[in-house]
Amino acid sequence: MRRRTLGRTGPAVSALGLGAMGMSGAYGAADRTESIATVHAALESGVTLIDTGDFYAMGHNELLLAEALRGRDRDSYHLSVKFGMLRGPGHEFGGHDSRPEAVKNFLAYSLTRLGTDHIDIYRPARLDPAVPIEETVGAIKEMVEAGYVRHIGLSEVDAATIRRAHAVHPIADLQIEYSLISRAVEVDVLPALRELGIGLTAYGVLSRGLISGHWTAGHAAGPGDTRGFSPRFSGENVEHNLALVEALRRVAEAKGCSVAQLAIAWVAAQGEDIVPLVGARTRERLAEALPAMDLNLTADDLAEIEKAVPPSAARGDRYPSAFMSNLGVGN
């Protein structure tokens, strides 16, 4: 597994990262034993970057990772943790809290659940509209100085917010959705990151499975699967979007790879400063994703991919309307 460095000040991590959210029920029931085996397989394949959030099933994901990582050399992997999203006992979302005192409280709980003495990259999950980003980053900076955090990251914020945060403390990376059908980051955010020397970790590279080549027309999201509320998976939108996938499949077949591999490789090909995160919940899906990092996409390949899935070709927002206002950039 090759490595990429997150920005000028961030860590050198595997060129492909593992997103663990789906292992805690975001896309329906997950198998605990298989999830742990998938984490182990990722590490053994050279994946070093593992992403989680303290609100993923209210701490379940962190506890799962603690079990999966127990006994491993702490310097052999990097933990990226998001914080600040509030949830109720019915799993409903209740806003954001990124006050300095909340930052330290959330961090203390994450360190305990994960069974570690430090977080490699710590980031607010979303911008708290009630708290200046300078105060939030300032609090994490104190935790860096105290040794509890190694690097500071951001998630789903705009270029102006990135600049304000970076002025307080160097930002290692921005985590944001970026895929063939989610390209708003290219307009203002990606140029700002490159100007400032900040890396990008891209989640949703398969758009929650929509462009994996495995989602089919008529497939219904099961109980607990958040895709049942996603506009891109709804009604006529999903039919249109799956037609894009079929166009992409023809390019993949000509290249001798799967649709998922082509979609992941496309994100990785957008720059050495970008690390795709794959939300593999099983060893089978992980095994499919890993070869994507060895795909060499030529200029002709990239042109064919753009022809199959032009920018802004997808229909439907990437989140339900209630969540769109919390994002620094749109689709």
Side-chain angles (χ1 to χ4, degrees), residues 56 114-115 177 284:
Y56 290 171
L114 287 163
E177 187 164 354
E284 180 183 6

Side-chain angles (χ1 to χ4, degrees), residues 48-107:
T48 66
L49 179 63
I50 303 175
D51 180 75
T52 184
D54 63 8
F55 51 92
Y56 290 171
M58 284 62 69
H60 174 278
N61 202 243
E62 290 180 320
L63 292 169
L64 176 73
L65 289 177
E67 183 176 347
L69 296 169
R70 191 170 295 129
R72 300 271 174 169
D73 179 357
R74 183 61 184 86
D75 291 330
S76 68
Y77 59 87
H78 299 87
L79 285 171
S80 167
V81 180
K82 295 182 290 297
F83 71 90
M85 293 189 77
L86 305 178
R87 303 191 70 173
H91 297 193
E92 67 277 9
F93 286 94
H96 312 276
D97 190 353
S98 294
R99 295 170 299 142
E101 56 268 39
V103 170
K104 297 170 186 178
N105 177 78
F106 288 133
L107 176 60

